[in-house]
Amino acid sequence: ALPIYHGPQGLKHIARRVHNATLILSEGLKRAGHKLEHDMFFDTLKIQCGCAVQEVLDRAAQRQINLRVNCDGTLGISLDETVTEKDLDDLLWIFGCESSSELVAESMGDRKS
């Protein structure tokens, strides 16, 4: 039903938006000292924490955000079309990134210029 409702252009817009949000999140996570398991991704990140996993999970609980805890000790985050700027800011805070999603995005744009 989603493709019929949004049409091809609408689906492309949603996909771009979700992927861009994931790019911003990935950049903020790297800046905060975390490592990504994969350089290529669409909407899902697998993170090797640069700090204690429990610290991240405690902060996530404060924001009522669920993270996937993988059996290898990494954490997983999947974004979808409902993600907001506040959600990204909360996720960055959870992982100890001191920048907002807006500042991370702006600096990413500066690098590409």
Side-chain angles (χ1 to χ4, degrees), residues 11 16 24 29 54 68 97:
L11 284 179
R16 261 193 306 279
I24 292 166
L29 293 172
Q54 192 56 54
R68 183 173 42 260
C97 181

Side-chain angles (χ1 to χ4, degrees), residues 73-88:
T74 60
L75 296 178
I77 300 174
S78 293
L79 302 181
D80 66 16
E81 68 275 7
T82 66
V83 70
T84 65
E85 187 175 337
K86 181 183 180 328
D87 294 331
L88 290 177

